[in-house]
Amino acid sequence: MTREIAIRRRHALRQRPGVLVAAGLLAVVGAVAVPFTAQAGVEHAPMDSARQEDFTAAAAEFHVPSRVLLAVAYQESAWDAHAGQRSASGGYGPMHLTDVTPAMLADGDAGAAGRRDLAKLAADPALHTLEAAAKLTGLSERQLHTDAAANIRGGAALLASYQKATAGGTSADPGDWYGAVARYSQSAQRQGAQAFADRVFATVHKGAERTATDGQRVTLAASPQVRPATGQLAKLHLASSAATDTECPATVDCTFVPAAPSNGQVSNRPANGIRIDSIVIHDTESSYASAIATFQTPGGSASHYVMRSADGAVTQMVPTKDLAFHAGNYSTNMHSIGIEHEGYAAHGATWYTEAQYQATADLVTYLADRFGIPLDRQHILGHDNVVGPTSATVSGMHWDPGPSWDWEHFMDLLGAPVTGGHGVGDWGTVVTIAPGFASNQQTVQICPSDDPTGATAACTKVTQPSNFVYLRTAPSDTAPLFGDQAIHSGAAGTDRINDWGSTAQAGQQFVVAGKNGDWTAIWYSGSKAWFYNPGGVNTVPARGVTIIHSGQTPITPPVKVYGSSYPDAAEYPAGLSPSTQAPLSMYTIPSGQAYVATAPAAVTDDYFKSSGTVVLGAKKMYTIQYNHRTALVYAGDVTATTQPLQNNPGSGH
């Protein structure tokens, strides 16, 4: 996303525009390949073949069959160099050589900021193939970072070293490289390594051609005669995932493909005391197959489940007992299950099919029943509802599944509708946002950086069905949009599709802070924000909810707001390094304001994979609906009251 509002799109999954002709995993999970088609009568700029020559030279230097080297690079990067920039999983260049740092794990989907064991988490050799390639070639790590030709040489050297270790020497027969290719995946599990090797050799069989984003034209001729030596996989002595059985309801088509182990943590939830209390809905910003491949790449993110758009088929990638790094917040990862959906948020509702909604509803209902998760919008969240764990990460948190995920329809499918008798109560009562979807036409601006498919050529205003209402600084449609402090620092908000800071979303609950004609005010992000709500058309009065109050006198200090929920340092056993947290510097709850608690107060906690230790603190924290996102406050800093089960709904219809 553009830095003017400092929002990054989740995952930054590697896109594969143009051709995707490999079958491999596609045959396993049923993804649809996208064929390369040339447009007749269209003039193209001259293509550069230097990268093709780099692959040829590196293959010859290290005695790697060029078809194998090209196919590995195609699966890793679609032959893009990425101008020396790292991928979301810490990889560089066409060969995706990895160099993952503790800072990447702190700021990425692990959301592990404040953890003292970051260096240990980042020490996995699978996250440092760039260092290994530098030792093999004598090239500097900087060269491997920034120079595409050097990066290709490094990948070829690494692949050749794996071949020698697996087969005792190099070979001119591409099929003899199956074991080396499987090891290049860096997967510690047999299923993941096999899936990667199968994709690579499917590309060898069917061929591929593509112009990379920097104009480099690369071609791999089809070689259907190659017969991969699949028996070599046994020589790698990889462990088989113990979770080969899927955790899905019988109503969905479900397959298990393991994510890279470094993209999560083995645990034993909830038997070990770590509660599972929420489900987070994501979109992939990529194809179904690309998301699965990315989650198998060490050093990045993973979700428990991936849902296909066309028919709602499911691939489970992480057992529910384990943590998946999907939410960008370690505390959220501890207590949630992540579900990815094939789709692009900038493309409106077109990717979110009825088959996908219904399959996800069946899966969520199954998981909620199994783990006792309430079926409401306070526990069934969007990734855009998850707060950043630190002040530095708040602005860059993800905004998927975006404004076109129909929350009201989805909650209906769960048997937990957010609609009802519309209206709005008096000051201090609670409303649920419920604007409808098809009839709630909102205008958003979509820019090229919001759309990884490349289909958006210039910033464009689009009016479309939406799941939110805009919030303004005063009760007028000419008043500025509310600007969230983390994004705009005192400036007005915008109508950019990724600007979550000026919107209240269907199913979210807020305390009424005032009414003025057709406008309703709510307490939001430490301020009073207004939205158009004639006759309560966009809201449903809420009852039986817990309201969190700050101090009620002007001299009461503002309540501090947090993004994570760790115990105090003194509560950690000897030998475990305490995780740390600090208040979010841009957020407070000023005196006199009130917010809805999305769940009962829960004890602070932490987890250490190395020993399996769960640390429970003595203090409790409330999760509250603070703005478009949730946040945390210490129970001892606030007063909690319960909204009466019966109240004055005010105007209704």
Side-chain angles (χ1 to χ4, degrees), residues 273-363:
I274 298 177
R275 68 187 185 277
I276 300 176
D277 61 10
S278 58
I279 295 171
V280 180
I281 301 297
H282 305 260
D283 81 52
T284 61
E285 293 299 297
S286 76
S287 71
Y288 181 62
S290 180
I292 293 168
T294 297
F295 293 162
Q296 290 179 291
T297 302
S301 58
S303 195
H304 291 89
Y305 299 91
V306 185
M307 314 292 293
R308 189 163 63 202
S309 175
D311 57 3
V314 186
T315 294
Q316 183 177 1
M317 302 199 70
V318 179
T320 58
K321 71 180 183 64
D322 297 339
L323 280 67
F325 292 162
H326 65 99
N329 184 312
Y330 190 85
S331 291
T332 302
N333 289 337
M334 280 183 65
H335 302 296
S336 66
I337 293 171
I339 304 178
E340 289 281 354
H341 294 77
E342 181 183 25
Y344 300 88
H347 288 197
T350 56
W351 280 88
Y352 303 140
T353 64
E354 188 61 22
Q356 195 179 51
Y357 276 123
Q358 292 186 6
T360 304
D362 286 352
L363 177 59

XYZ file of all heavy atoms in Angstrom, residues 273-363:
684
model
N -3.978 -24.947 28.102
C -4.403 -23.732 28.791
C -4.487 -22.501 27.918
O -4.906 -21.442 28.384
N -4.093 -22.604 26.650
C -4.235 -21.476 25.726
C -5.637 -21.534 25.129
O -5.982 -22.471 24.403
C -3.189 -21.523 24.607
C -1.774 -21.426 25.187
C -3.421 -20.383 23.611
C -0.678 -21.541 24.143
N -6.454 -20.554 25.440
C -7.822 -20.547 24.935
C -7.848 -20.247 23.440
O -7.002 -19.512 22.920
C -8.672 -19.530 25.692
C -8.275 -18.089 25.411
C -9.006 -17.095 26.303
N -8.679 -15.726 25.913
C -7.578 -15.072 26.311
N -6.703 -15.674 27.102
N -7.375 -13.825 25.903
N -8.797 -20.824 22.734
C -9.091 -20.461 21.345
C -10.439 -19.768 21.380
O -11.470 -20.414 21.612
C -9.129 -21.699 20.426
C -7.782 -22.426 20.452
C -9.491 -21.290 18.995
C -7.767 -23.721 19.644
N -10.448 -18.447 21.182
C -11.685 -17.700 21.394
C -12.118 -16.856 20.206
O -13.097 -16.109 20.307
C -11.562 -16.816 22.633
C -10.454 -15.768 22.532
O -9.892 -15.586 21.430
O -10.148 -15.130 23.557
N -11.408 -16.961 19.080
C -11.803 -16.141 17.931
C -11.376 -16.801 16.628
O -10.481 -17.661 16.614
C -11.202 -14.730 18.029
O -9.790 -14.785 18.107
N -12.018 -16.396 15.555
C -11.699 -16.836 14.199
C -11.490 -15.589 13.357
O -12.295 -14.651 13.417
C -12.824 -17.704 13.621
C -12.950 -19.010 14.436
C -12.586 -18.015 12.143
C -14.163 -19.833 14.090
N -10.398 -15.550 12.607
C -10.052 -14.375 11.812
C -10.208 -14.697 10.333
O -9.627 -15.660 9.821
C -8.612 -13.907 12.104
C -8.274 -12.675 11.272
C -8.428 -13.606 13.595
N -11.012 -13.879 9.639
C -11.281 -14.028 8.211
C -10.294 -13.162 7.430
O -10.159 -11.958 7.689
C -12.728 -13.600 7.878
C -13.736 -14.438 8.676
C -12.986 -13.700 6.384
C -13.733 -15.908 8.372
N -9.599 -13.773 6.461
C -8.624 -13.080 5.619
C -9.014 -13.240 4.147
O -9.834 -14.084 3.792
C -7.232 -13.715 5.744
C -6.685 -13.807 7.117
N -5.764 -12.917 7.619
C -6.873 -14.725 8.104
C -5.418 -13.267 8.847
N -6.083 -14.366 9.170
N -8.364 -12.453 3.271
C -8.287 -12.846 1.870
C -6.825 -12.946 1.470
O -5.947 -12.337 2.086
C -9.090 -11.932 0.940
C -8.381 -10.643 0.560
O -7.231 -10.691 0.104
O -8.999 -9.574 0.687
N -6.563 -13.730 0.410
C -5.193 -14.098 0.060
C -4.451 -13.040 -0.731
O -3.228 -13.000 -0.729
C -5.190 -15.386 -0.775
O -5.927 -15.163 -1.985
C -5.805 -16.542 -0.001
N -5.190 -12.177 -1.489
C -4.563 -11.270 -2.451
C -3.692 -12.050 -3.435
O -2.649 -11.567 -3.882
C -3.748 -10.185 -1.743
C -4.613 -9.215 -0.957
C -5.599 -8.473 -1.828
O -5.178 -7.716 -2.715
O -6.815 -8.674 -1.648
N -4.135 -13.232 -3.773
C -3.423 -14.091 -4.719
C -4.370 -15.200 -5.125
O -5.488 -15.312 -4.609
C -2.171 -14.698 -4.070
O -2.521 -15.748 -3.188
N -3.902 -16.060 -6.012
C -4.664 -17.257 -6.342
C -4.621 -18.233 -5.175
O -3.769 -18.155 -4.290
C -4.097 -17.926 -7.593
O -2.840 -18.520 -7.315
N -5.537 -19.181 -5.205
C -5.598 -20.252 -4.199
C -4.282 -21.019 -4.158
O -3.689 -21.221 -3.093
C -6.759 -21.165 -4.605
C -7.074 -22.350 -3.729
C -7.464 -22.188 -2.406
C -7.058 -23.634 -4.262
C -7.810 -23.279 -1.628
C -7.404 -24.732 -3.494
C -7.783 -24.548 -2.175
O -8.132 -25.633 -1.414
N -3.792 -21.430 -5.335
C -2.553 -22.211 -5.389
C -1.357 -21.398 -4.921
O -0.466 -21.915 -4.233
C -2.316 -22.718 -6.814
N -1.316 -20.103 -5.270
C -0.200 -19.266 -4.870
C -0.168 -19.087 -3.355
O 0.903 -19.083 -2.746
C -0.284 -17.906 -5.557
O 0.796 -17.080 -5.189
N -1.340 -18.946 -2.743
C -1.387 -18.809 -1.290
C -0.852 -20.061 -0.614
O -0.070 -19.989 0.341
C -2.820 -18.531 -0.839
N -1.267 -21.222 -1.107
C -0.795 -22.478 -0.521
C 0.716 -22.591 -0.671
O 1.431 -22.973 0.264
C -1.519 -23.667 -1.180
C -3.004 -23.640 -0.795
C -0.894 -24.996 -0.766
C -3.874 -24.573 -1.609
N 1.226 -22.255 -1.841
C 2.669 -22.315 -2.065
C 3.409 -21.346 -1.150
O 4.478 -21.661 -0.613
C 2.983 -22.012 -3.528
N 2.872 -20.152 -0.964
C 3.517 -19.160 -0.109
C 3.567 -19.629 1.334
O 4.570 -19.452 2.024
C 2.782 -17.817 -0.201
O 2.873 -17.338 -1.543
C 3.391 -16.787 0.735
N 2.484 -20.225 1.816
C 2.464 -20.695 3.198
C 3.417 -21.869 3.411
O 3.776 -22.173 4.548
C 1.049 -21.083 3.601
C 0.087 -19.927 3.662
C -1.283 -20.139 3.638
C 0.544 -18.620 3.735
C -2.171 -19.085 3.690
C -0.334 -17.551 3.780
C -1.699 -17.788 3.759
N 3.827 -22.520 2.330
C 4.813 -23.586 2.438
C 6.243 -23.050 2.376
O 7.194 -23.816 2.557
C 4.618 -24.601 1.308
C 3.353 -25.436 1.439
C 3.199 -26.392 0.283
O 2.958 -25.992 -0.856
N 3.371 -27.670 0.556
N 6.394 -21.754 2.142
C 7.714 -21.143 2.059
C 8.156 -20.676 3.434
O 7.468 -19.866 4.056
C 7.692 -19.947 1.090
O 7.254 -20.391 -0.194
C 9.074 -19.332 0.967
N 9.275 -21.152 3.956
C 9.700 -20.767 5.313
C 9.952 -19.270 5.421
O 10.373 -18.611 4.480
C 11.007 -21.553 5.509
C 10.929 -22.689 4.549
C 10.184 -22.154 3.351
N 9.664 -18.747 6.597
C 10.010 -17.367 6.910
C 8.878 -16.383 6.800
O 9.067 -15.204 7.071
N 7.705 -16.834 6.421
C 6.601 -15.907 6.235
C 5.419 -16.240 7.116
O 5.552 -16.504 8.308
N 4.261 -16.256 6.508
C 3.023 -16.452 7.248
C 2.374 -17.764 6.853
O 2.782 -18.430 5.904
C 2.068 -15.292 6.959
O 1.815 -15.224 5.566
N 1.359 -18.113 7.603
C 0.526 -19.271 7.287
C -0.815 -19.066 7.966
O -0.923 -18.343 8.955
C 1.169 -20.576 7.739
N -1.823 -19.702 7.416
C -3.137 -19.686 8.020
C -3.560 -21.128 8.254
O -3.028 -22.049 7.631
C -4.129 -18.977 7.089
O -5.307 -18.645 7.772
N -4.507 -21.324 9.145
C -4.949 -22.693 9.400
C -5.668 -23.283 8.186
O -5.483 -24.467 7.876
C -5.879 -22.720 10.615
C -5.184 -22.434 11.915
N -5.031 -21.145 12.411
C -4.583 -23.257 12.805
C -4.376 -21.203 13.557
N -4.090 -22.467 13.821
N -6.441 -22.447 7.491
C -7.238 -22.930 6.358
C -7.160 -21.939 5.201
O -7.019 -20.730 5.413
C -8.716 -23.084 6.751
C -8.989 -24.074 7.851
C -9.009 -23.662 9.189
C -9.244 -25.416 7.577
C -9.272 -24.560 10.215
C -9.520 -26.328 8.603
C -9.525 -25.895 9.914
O -9.788 -26.797 10.913
N -7.284 -22.464 3.967
C -7.392 -21.648 2.758
C -8.633 -22.119 2.002
O -8.792 -23.317 1.744
C -6.144 -21.773 1.857
C -6.253 -20.816 0.669
C -4.872 -21.493 2.646
N -9.492 -21.160 1.615
C -10.761 -21.468 0.960
C -10.694 -21.042 -0.504
O -10.340 -19.910 -0.814
C -11.921 -20.725 1.636
C -11.923 -20.774 3.149
S -12.241 -22.407 3.835
C -13.956 -22.663 3.337
N -11.072 -21.953 -1.411
C -11.059 -21.626 -2.833
C -12.324 -20.864 -3.220
O -13.420 -21.133 -2.722
C -10.934 -22.903 -3.668
C -10.698 -22.630 -5.149
C -10.170 -23.859 -5.855
N -11.092 -24.974 -5.834
C -10.721 -26.253 -5.992
N -9.436 -26.551 -6.124
N -11.610 -27.220 -5.968
N -12.184 -19.922 -4.140
C -13.305 -19.083 -4.551
C -14.352 -19.851 -5.350
O -15.547 -19.761 -5.078
C -12.796 -17.897 -5.385
O -13.864 -17.134 -5.885
N -13.912 -20.625 -6.336
C -14.836 -21.196 -7.311
C -15.862 -22.118 -6.682
O -17.045 -22.083 -7.028
C -14.056 -21.941 -8.393
N -15.423 -22.966 -5.746
C -16.321 -24.004 -5.237
C -16.269 -24.188 -3.733
O -16.935 -25.080 -3.196
C -16.008 -25.345 -5.913
C -14.547 -25.766 -5.728
O -13.809 -25.048 -5.026
O -14.155 -26.795 -6.295
N -15.488 -23.366 -3.028
C -15.430 -23.483 -1.579
C -14.598 -24.641 -1.070
O -14.689 -24.995 0.118
N -13.777 -25.245 -1.927
C -12.884 -26.305 -1.459
C -11.894 -25.736 -0.450
O -11.525 -24.564 -0.508
C -12.154 -26.940 -2.634
N -11.435 -26.576 0.467
C -10.614 -26.134 1.593
C -9.291 -26.890 1.617
O -9.269 -28.107 1.428
C -11.340 -26.386 2.930
C -10.548 -25.790 4.091
C -12.749 -25.843 2.904
N -8.214 -26.168 1.858
C -6.940 -26.794 2.204
C -6.584 -26.367 3.620
O -6.448 -25.178 3.894
C -5.823 -26.384 1.231
O -6.114 -26.903 -0.066
C -4.486 -26.960 1.690
N -6.476 -27.342 4.525
C -5.988 -27.050 5.864
C -4.477 -27.139 5.844
O -3.904 -28.064 5.276
C -6.547 -28.035 6.893
C -6.105 -27.698 8.309
C -6.697 -28.599 9.371
O -7.449 -29.523 9.067
N -6.370 -28.337 10.630
N -3.817 -26.164 6.479
C -2.362 -26.109 6.426
C -1.698 -26.129 7.798
O -0.499 -26.393 7.904
C -1.918 -24.878 5.642
C -2.482 -24.849 4.225
S -1.596 -23.751 3.103
C -0.036 -24.622 2.906
N -2.447 -25.833 8.849
C -1.923 -25.852 10.211
C -2.965 -26.517 11.096
O -4.147 -26.150 11.038
C -1.622 -24.428 10.725
C -1.095 -24.460 12.154
C -0.624 -23.714 9.811
N -2.576 -27.496 11.930
C -3.538 -28.078 12.872
C -4.079 -27.006 13.817
O -3.366 -26.075 14.200
C -2.703 -29.112 13.638
C -1.543 -29.411 12.744
C -1.245 -28.131 12.024
N -5.327 -27.128 14.209
C -5.917 -26.108 15.076
C -5.250 -26.036 16.445
O -5.299 -24.991 17.105
C -7.420 -26.354 15.259
O -7.623 -27.665 15.815
C -8.158 -26.241 13.936
N -4.599 -27.103 16.861
C -3.918 -27.066 18.161
C -2.684 -26.163 18.128
O -2.189 -25.729 19.177
C -3.512 -28.477 18.595
C -2.369 -29.083 17.788
C -2.007 -30.476 18.259
C -0.810 -31.036 17.494
N 0.419 -30.256 17.727
N -2.183 -25.879 16.942
C -0.955 -25.103 16.781
C -1.251 -23.646 16.468
O -2.321 -23.295 15.950
C -0.098 -25.693 15.660
C 0.371 -27.100 15.964
O 0.384 -27.484 17.152
O 0.706 -27.829 15.003
N -0.265 -22.792 16.738
C -0.362 -21.387 16.364
C 0.047 -21.233 14.900
O 1.049 -21.810 14.469
C 0.578 -20.528 17.212
C 0.159 -20.120 18.624
C 0.087 -21.323 19.557
C 1.134 -19.079 19.184
N -0.713 -20.471 14.155
C -0.331 -20.065 12.802
C -0.017 -18.578 12.839
O -0.702 -17.805 13.512
C -1.456 -20.348 11.810
N 1.027 -18.173 12.111
C 1.374 -16.758 12.040
C 0.558 -16.120 10.919
O 0.970 -16.073 9.766
C 2.871 -16.590 11.780
C 3.750 -17.023 12.929
C 5.097 -17.277 12.728
C 3.244 -17.148 14.215
C 5.914 -17.665 13.782
C 4.040 -17.534 15.283
C 5.388 -17.797 15.058
N -0.617 -15.636 11.274
C -1.537 -15.124 10.251
C -2.056 -13.727 10.537
O -2.456 -13.019 9.615
C -2.737 -16.074 10.100
C -3.617 -16.160 11.320
N -4.779 -15.454 11.440
C -3.478 -16.863 12.475
C -5.345 -15.726 12.607
N -4.564 -16.582 13.264
N -2.072 -13.300 11.790
C -2.802 -12.088 12.144
C -1.933 -10.859 12.330
O -2.451 -9.756 12.466
C -3.616 -12.332 13.420
N -0.588 -11.012 12.360
C 0.277 -9.870 12.589
C 0.341 -9.435 14.036
O 0.876 -8.372 14.343
N -0.204 -10.254 14.932
C -0.220 -9.941 16.354
C -0.094 -11.259 17.099
O -0.970 -12.123 16.991
C -1.519 -9.219 16.718
C -1.565 -8.783 18.166
O -1.267 -9.542 19.079
N -1.984 -7.546 18.397
N 1.002 -11.440 17.851
C 1.252 -12.729 18.490
C 0.151 -13.096 19.482
O -0.261 -14.260 19.566
C 2.613 -12.729 19.190
C 3.040 -14.099 19.657
C 3.692 -14.977 18.798
C 2.782 -14.526 20.957
C 4.073 -16.248 19.224
C 3.155 -15.784 21.396
C 3.800 -16.639 20.529
O 4.166 -17.891 20.947
N -0.351 -12.119 20.237
C -1.428 -12.412 21.180
C -2.669 -12.910 20.450
O -3.337 -13.851 20.898
C -1.759 -11.168 22.012
O -0.700 -10.843 22.901
N -2.992 -12.306 19.318
C -4.126 -12.778 18.521
C -3.840 -14.155 17.942
O -4.717 -15.039 17.935
C -4.436 -11.784 17.393
O -4.720 -10.506 17.945
C -5.636 -12.250 16.566
N -2.629 -14.363 17.434
C -2.275 -15.682 16.905
C -2.437 -16.770 17.959
O -2.842 -17.905 17.644
C -0.825 -15.676 16.408
C -0.627 -14.875 15.145
O -1.565 -14.659 14.383
N 0.587 -14.423 14.912
N -2.114 -16.452 19.218
C -2.229 -17.433 20.288
C -3.655 -17.938 20.440
O -3.877 -19.119 20.732
C -1.770 -16.827 21.621
C -0.273 -16.788 21.835
S 0.136 -16.130 23.493
C -0.568 -17.404 24.540
N -4.622 -17.058 20.242
C -5.999 -17.367 20.642
C -6.968 -17.502 19.475
O -8.176 -17.577 19.708
C -6.500 -16.287 21.603
C -5.654 -16.143 22.828
N -5.512 -17.158 23.752
C -4.863 -15.130 23.280
C -4.699 -16.772 24.714
N -4.280 -15.547 24.448
N -6.459 -17.561 18.262
C -7.364 -17.537 17.112
C -7.058 -18.639 16.117
O -6.011 -19.278 16.160
C -7.277 -16.178 16.401
O -5.990 -15.998 15.824
N -7.994 -18.836 15.210
C -7.844 -19.701 14.045
C -8.003 -18.811 12.819
O -8.950 -18.016 12.742
C -8.897 -20.825 14.045
C -8.632 -21.779 15.224
C -8.897 -21.590 12.729
C -9.735 -22.791 15.454
N -7.075 -18.907 11.864
C -7.105 -18.063 10.672
C -7.651 -18.806 9.475
O -7.281 -19.957 9.222
N -8.534 -18.143 8.730
C -9.115 -18.718 7.520
C -8.894 -17.745 6.367
O -9.437 -16.635 6.369
C -10.618 -19.009 7.674
C -10.871 -19.927 8.885
C -11.172 -19.648 6.410
C -12.335 -20.229 9.131
N -8.102 -18.153 5.397
C -7.836 -17.354 4.190
C -8.874 -17.650 3.108
O -9.349 -18.777 2.979
C -6.448 -17.686 3.635
C -5.296 -17.180 4.463
C -5.031 -15.705 4.232
O -5.672 -15.115 3.345
O -4.177 -15.157 4.950
N -9.177 -16.636 2.315
C -10.116 -16.783 1.209
C -9.479 -16.296 -0.083
O -8.966 -15.170 -0.130
C -11.395 -15.983 1.481
C -12.171 -16.519 2.637
N -11.792 -16.279 3.944
C -13.271 -17.320 2.688
C -12.645 -16.904 4.751
N -13.535 -17.538 4.018
N -9.483 -17.133 -1.087
C -8.970 -16.710 -2.380
C -9.742 -15.471 -2.829
O -10.980 -15.482 -2.891
C -9.133 -17.830 -3.402
C -8.598 -17.460 -4.785
C -8.826 -18.566 -5.802
O -9.760 -19.370 -5.614
O -8.053 -18.613 -6.786
N -9.013 -14.401 -3.141
C -9.690 -13.195 -3.574
C -8.796 -11.981 -3.519
O -7.675 -12.027 -2.989
N -9.291 -10.893 -4.081
C -8.592 -9.609 -4.131
C -9.559 -8.548 -3.619
O -10.608 -8.303 -4.224
C -8.145 -9.289 -5.553
C -7.194 -10.317 -6.140
C -7.677 -11.427 -6.817
C -5.818 -10.174 -6.005
C -6.813 -12.377 -7.355
C -4.941 -11.119 -6.539
C -5.447 -12.217 -7.214
O -4.592 -13.154 -7.733
N -9.212 -7.909 -2.520
C -10.127 -6.978 -1.871
C -10.500 -5.806 -2.771
O -11.603 -5.262 -2.667
C -9.509 -6.460 -0.578
N -9.601 -5.413 -3.675
C -9.878 -4.271 -4.547
C -10.857 -4.602 -5.667
O -11.307 -3.704 -6.377
C -8.575 -3.748 -5.156
N -11.194 -5.873 -5.834
C -12.072 -6.279 -6.924
C -13.528 -6.399 -6.494
O -14.322 -7.081 -7.144
C -11.595 -7.606 -7.506
C -10.330 -7.491 -8.292
N -9.897 -8.455 -9.165
C -9.386 -6.517 -8.345
C -8.744 -8.092 -9.713
N -8.418 -6.910 -9.217
N -13.884 -5.759 -5.394
C -15.266 -5.796 -4.966
C -15.664 -7.189 -4.506
O -14.849 -7.976 -4.027
N -16.944 -7.513 -4.663
C -17.469 -8.776 -4.144
C -17.315 -9.930 -5.122
O -17.793 -11.031 -4.848
C -18.939 -8.589 -3.782
N -16.638 -9.720 -6.250
C -16.652 -10.730 -7.308
C -15.977 -12.028 -6.907
O -16.350 -13.101 -7.393
C -15.969 -10.188 -8.575
O -14.635 -9.749 -8.234
C -16.726 -8.993 -9.131
N -14.956 -11.982 -6.041
C -14.234 -13.196 -5.670
C -14.906 -13.951 -4.536
O -14.639 -15.141 -4.334
C -12.796 -12.849 -5.278
C -11.923 -12.641 -6.465
C -11.724 -11.470 -7.155
C -11.139 -13.629 -7.145
N -10.868 -11.666 -8.199
C -10.489 -12.986 -8.215
C -10.928 -14.992 -6.943
C -9.631 -13.659 -9.084
C -10.079 -15.666 -7.794
C -9.443 -14.999 -8.859
N -15.738 -13.271 -3.764
C -16.374 -13.910 -2.617
C -17.673 -14.565 -3.084
O -18.746 -13.970 -3.052
C -16.621 -12.893 -1.509
C -15.363 -12.184 -1.055
C -15.369 -10.825 -0.756
C -14.155 -12.870 -0.926
C -14.214 -10.174 -0.330
C -12.994 -12.223 -0.515
C -13.033 -10.879 -0.225
O -11.882 -10.234 0.180
N -17.566 -15.802 -3.525
C -18.692 -16.511 -4.119
C -19.591 -17.095 -3.038
O -19.197 -17.278 -1.885
C -18.198 -17.653 -5.014
O -17.502 -18.614 -4.194
C -17.264 -17.143 -6.098
N -20.813 -17.443 -3.437
C -21.737 -18.068 -2.501
C -21.203 -19.411 -2.017
O -21.352 -19.773 -0.842
C -23.114 -18.234 -3.137
C -24.190 -18.712 -2.173
C -24.423 -17.743 -1.007
O -24.086 -16.545 -1.127
O -24.923 -18.199 0.041
N -20.558 -20.156 -2.919
C -19.966 -21.436 -2.511
C -18.920 -21.222 -1.427
O -18.826 -21.994 -0.459
C -19.349 -22.136 -3.717
N -18.136 -20.171 -1.571
C -17.102 -19.864 -0.585
C -17.728 -19.442 0.742
O -17.304 -19.898 1.818
C -16.198 -18.763 -1.138
C -14.876 -18.586 -0.410
C -14.033 -17.482 -1.047
O -14.505 -16.363 -1.262
N -12.789 -17.794 -1.364
N -18.745 -18.567 0.680
C -19.430 -18.156 1.903
C -20.013 -19.362 2.638
O -19.871 -19.503 3.855
C -20.562 -17.184 1.574
C -20.165 -15.732 1.426
C -20.440 -15.032 0.258
C -19.557 -15.039 2.469
C -20.098 -13.701 0.117
C -19.211 -13.701 2.341
C -19.481 -13.031 1.159
O -19.136 -11.705 1.023
N -20.686 -20.244 1.904
C -21.369 -21.350 2.553
C -20.385 -22.364 3.126
O -20.583 -22.878 4.238
C -22.332 -22.018 1.568
C -23.503 -21.124 1.201
C -24.541 -21.823 0.345
O -24.457 -23.014 0.091
N -25.539 -21.069 -0.101
N -19.306 -22.640 2.390
C -18.300 -23.570 2.907
C -17.631 -22.994 4.152
O -17.384 -23.711 5.134
C -17.263 -23.884 1.832
N -17.331 -21.683 4.124
C -16.715 -21.051 5.286
C -17.673 -21.054 6.470
O -17.258 -21.275 7.618
C -16.278 -19.617 4.959
O -15.391 -19.636 3.836
C -15.564 -18.985 6.141
N -18.945 -20.809 6.203
C -19.932 -20.836 7.286
C -19.989 -22.219 7.925
O -20.054 -22.348 9.156
C -21.298 -20.428 6.759
N -19.961 -23.267 7.120
C -19.953 -24.624 7.670
C -18.699 -24.855 8.513
O -18.761 -25.453 9.595
C -20.004 -25.652 6.542
C -21.379 -25.751 5.900
O -22.326 -25.140 6.424
O -21.501 -26.438 4.869
N -17.542 -24.388 8.019
C -16.286 -24.572 8.739
C -16.286 -23.776 10.044
O -15.901 -24.295 11.109
C -15.111 -24.149 7.861
C -13.716 -24.209 8.487
C -13.380 -25.619 8.947
C -12.661 -23.695 7.501
